[in-house]
Amino acid sequence: ALHLAQAEDGKGLDDFQKVYNAIAEKLRDEDEFDGYIGYGPNLVRLSWHVSGTFDKNDNSGGSFGGTYRFKKEADDPANKGLQNAARFLEPIAKKFPWISHGDLYTLAGVTALQEMQGPKIPWRPGRVDADEKDAPENGRLPDASKDGNYVRHYFGRFGFSDQEIVALLGAHCLGKTHLENSGYEGPWGAATNTFTNEFFVNLLNENWKLEKNDAGNEQYNSNKGYMMLPTDYGLIQDGKFKKYVEKYAKDQDAFFEDFKSAYVKLLENGIDFSKLGKAYVFKTLDEQDS
Ligand code: HEM
Ligand SMILES: Nc1cccc2nccn12
């Protein structure tokens, strides 16, 4: 059965906006991280990795139990590099001890996306901390060395359509790959901390060369210093995915709208929110600077 959302008692929009603001202010303060990319992309990746363990077949994994806080999940080799995001969030968790870990990890991704000029992401609280025994086993996160068919099959476990899969991967407009984390090296130059549709524009416009990187893994590099993972490149090798890449490369608003919907679905998979009111939409710091 789905996990029933139980919001932190007595907490409302203002309380969660305070958590949002604390994360957003810390993002602004600690802007030097990772060559001045900042923590935003890393927080978005954490929110995806804590949700990406979900399996609709037995409703295991997913963001509900906040089980990333246990070594069993945090030490998954696929999570290498996310210790930075976890350390970033420790003082936030101490300042707001009432928020569950699942709510904190997902709210941090929403905050980072909105502060990096992404779409407004409606968010609902109610994830309840589970025990270490409920932490999913390692190996549920995807393998970047594969192709488009693998990507389609992988995301089938969440019930995502081709369109939702392509929209979600648009988050690879953010941050970079780090050889010491994943065995892929991304260029400093092209790394960004602003949410745009450029992942799709680059996929279509650059001439990609498949090369072996210093870790011996194959990746696609362009002469402008951009890179793509084999799974990224699979989106233009596969005709059914490619038409959505073209749609989003042409229309950033359509990308923002579809990313928002798919990202909410990713973060809420496996949870029954029907007992809660409507989702919260948080103001950015800029919108509160009055
Ligand atoms: C086929 C599915 C996916 C694969 C194989 C994949 C793989 C990767 C890899 C290998 C990295 C580099 C990590 C590092 O070296 O630090 C990365 C980074 C990243 N991924 Fe994905 N990813 C996938 C889907 C997603 C999704 C669905 C999202 C969010 C909605 C996402 C968001 C990010 C972000 C923001 C970064 C940059 C992190 C940073 O700069 O620290 N990825 N991904
Ligand atoms: N920034 C970034 C992160 C992860 C994967 C990826 N592919 C192209 C760019 N990119």
Side-chain angles (χ1 to χ4, degrees), residues 85-158:
R87 247 194 315 279
F88 176 96
L89 290 174
E90 275 162 15
I92 306 289
K94 285 197 178 49
K95 187 172 178 193
F96 303 95
W98 50 266
I99 193 168
S100 68
H101 286 85
D103 282 351
L104 179 61
Y105 296 144
T106 52
L107 177 54
V110 168
T111 305
L113 282 163
Q114 293 195 180
E115 293 298 301
M116 291 189 285
Q117 292 133 63
K120 284 295 178 87
I121 312 277
W123 178 83
R124 292 187 283 195
R127 295 167 188 77
V128 178
D129 283 1
D131 300 328
E132 180 148 23
K133 67 174 176 29
D134 302 305
E137 73 291 348
N138 290 186
R140 292 187 177 208
L141 293 163
D143 174 350
S145 70
K146 307 286 188 201
D147 66 3
N149 282 325
Y150 165 87
V151 170
R152 179 176 288 107
H153 179 262
Y154 173 81
F155 280 106
R157 204 180 76 204
F158 303 74

Side-chain angles (χ1 to χ4, degrees), residues 17-254:
Q17 181 75 62
K18 286 195 182 79
V19 182
Y20 176 107
N21 289 352
I23 295 167
E25 275 148 19
K26 192 172 165 67
L27 278 173
R28 282 191 180 177
D29 290 350
E30 299 178 18
D31 62 342
E32 77 298 330
F33 174 68
D34 202 13
Y36 285 90
I37 296 171
Y39 282 92
N42 207 255
L43 289 174
V44 171
R45 186 165 198 237
L46 176 64
S47 70
W48 135 240
H49 272 210
V50 301
S51 308
T53 56
F54 179 72
D55 184 341
K56 71 177 173 22
N57 299 305
D58 60 0
N59 200 48
S60 61
S63 69
F64 187 78
T67 49
Y68 172 89
R69 72 188 188 281
F70 297 117
K71 278 176 66 60
K72 174 181 169 188
E73 187 170 332
D75 290 354
D76 182 338
N79 283 332
K80 195 143 184 329
L82 292 177
Q83 292 84 352
N84 294 299
R87 247 194 315 279
F88 176 96
L89 290 174
E90 275 162 15
I92 306 289
K94 285 197 178 49
K95 187 172 178 193
F96 303 95
W98 50 266
I99 193 168
S100 68
H101 286 85
D103 282 351
L104 179 61
Y105 296 144
T106 52
L107 177 54
V110 168
T111 305
L113 282 163
Q114 293 195 180
E115 293 298 301
M116 291 189 285
Q117 292 133 63
K120 284 295 178 87
I121 312 277
W123 178 83
R124 292 187 283 195
R127 295 167 188 77
V128 178
D129 283 1
D131 300 328
E132 180 148 23
K133 67 174 176 29
D134 302 305
E137 73 291 348
N138 290 186
R140 292 187 177 208
L141 293 163
D143 174 350
S145 70
K146 307 286 188 201
D147 66 3
N149 282 325
Y150 165 87
V151 170
R152 179 176 288 107
H153 179 262
Y154 173 81
F155 280 106
R157 204 180 76 204
F158 303 74
F160 281 136
S161 65
D162 282 0
Q163 173 262 316
E164 289 171 317
I165 294 167
V166 176
L168 273 178
L169 274 164
H172 279 174
C173 65
L174 297 171
K176 70 186 289 289
T177 52
H178 308 79
L179 210 69
E180 68 280 12
N181 290 347
S182 61
Y184 292 94
E185 188 44 61
W188 287 92
T192 74
N193 51 18
T194 309
F195 195 78
T196 66
N197 66 344
E198 69 176 283
F199 170 75
F200 303 109
V201 173
N202 292 347
L203 259 182
L204 294 173
N205 292 0
E206 295 293 299
N207 58 345
W208 299 104
K209 278 200 308 305
L210 185 61
E211 296 176 336
K212 246 192 210 318
N213 65 29
D214 293 350
N217 299 317
E218 291 196 315
Q219 64 180 60
Y220 290 85
N221 297 320
S222 87
N223 51 18
K224 267 204 220 132
Y226 296 130
M227 66 77 68
M228 288 289 167
L229 300 166
T231 43
D232 297 323
Y233 194 76
L235 299 185
I236 53 175
Q237 287 174 309
D238 178 300
K240 290 189 290 298
F241 284 142
K242 188 173 184 184
K243 69 175 195 286
Y244 294 112
V245 174
E246 289 161 344
K247 173 182 178 184
Y248 297 142
K250 272 201 291 286
D251 185 346
Q252 177 156 289
D253 292 345

Side-chain angles (χ1 to χ4, degrees), residues 275-286:
K275 298 281 175 299
L276 268 80
K278 61 185 184 43
Y280 298 130
V281 176
F282 299 107
K283 291 187 182 333
T284 62
L285 284 188
D286 287 345

